[in-house]
């Protein structure tokens, strides 16, 4: 009988191995310095970025998250927070990928209810059928890594 745990196995996403399985958000901090301090303190290597809310280069005259969380130190995971339909979500993620130089990972969010921010699951399911790599999570902390040809281990688990 093996005594190994899931933490003994490497955490690999899109060919990159991570020490931490924790993903943290870049929002809700008082300023960019606090965002950096919190990200470093968490030990996370992957930080989600709401493209519609956080500057990562869209406004060259404003402070950028890239100044405090450079891609050389963190994997930035652009997300479509604030999108209520598939077209806006895909467009937002394409913008994030372009700003980050063709970055392969993104976090898909398609909201269904403005009050609760619960996801629009039927629309989300239809949206993830796109052919580029999508890392998708919902407000319920359900997760699925999806590719155009998903390996057997990558399935939706409600």
């Amino acid at each position: 009988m093996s005594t190994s745990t899931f933490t003994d196995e490497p955490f690999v996403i899109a060919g990159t191995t991570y020490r931490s399985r924790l993903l943290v958000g870049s929002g809700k901090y008082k300023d960019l310095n606090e965002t950096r301090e919190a990200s470093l303190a968490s030990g996370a290597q992957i930080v989600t970025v709401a493209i519609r809310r956080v500057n990562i280069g869209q406004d060259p005259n404003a402070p950028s998250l890239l100044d405090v969380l450079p891609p050389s130190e963190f994997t930035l995971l652009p997300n479509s927070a604030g999108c209520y339909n598939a077209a806006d979500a895909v467009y937002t993620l394409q913008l994030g990928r372009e700003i980050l130089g063709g970055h392969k990972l993104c976090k898909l969010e398609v909201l269904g209810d403005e009050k609760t921010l619960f996801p629009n699951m039927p629309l989300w399911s239809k949206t993830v059928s796109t052919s580029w790599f999508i890392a998708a999570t919902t407000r319920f902390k359900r997760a699925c890594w999806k590719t155009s040809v998903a390996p057997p281990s990558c399935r939706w688990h409600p």
Side-chain angles (χ1 to χ4, degrees), residues 7-135:
T7 57
D8 293 338
E9 298 176 21
F11 184 50
V12 180
I13 301 173
T16 301
T17 301
Y18 296 94
R19 294 181 314 275
S20 174
R21 294 171 186 269
L22 178 66
L23 283 69
V24 296
S26 59
K28 307 299 182 193
Y29 299 104
K30 70 177 179 180
D31 58 33
L32 292 176
N33 289 329
E34 186 174 86
T35 302
R36 178 172 176 77
E37 291 172 15
S39 299
L40 287 171
S42 74
Q45 296 171 277
I46 303 173
V47 179
T48 65
V49 180
I51 299 302
R52 292 178 164 220
R53 299 180 185 138
V54 177
N55 182 34
I56 60 168
Q58 305 94 308
D59 182 353
N61 299 317
S64 171
L65 184 69
L66 300 179
D67 296 335
V68 296
L69 298 178
S72 60
E73 293 180 42
F74 295 90
T75 295
L76 299 178
L77 191 64
N79 72 57
S80 58
C83 294
Y84 290 88
N85 63 65
D88 287 351
V90 170
Y91 176 78
T92 298
L93 294 176
Q94 288 172 331
L95 174 64
R97 291 181 66 204
E98 182 179 321
I99 291 170
L100 294 172
H103 194 66
K104 292 184 180 182
L105 296 175
C106 54
K107 178 184 170 196
L108 175 67
E109 293 184 28
V110 181
L111 301 175
D113 186 288
E114 290 184 35
K115 183 177 179 182
T116 64
L117 299 180
F118 288 165
N120 182 333
M121 293 310 294
L123 188 56
W124 178 88
S125 180
K126 182 185 275 188
T127 305
V128 297
S129 65
T130 58
S131 62
W132 39 281
F133 188 87
I134 296 176

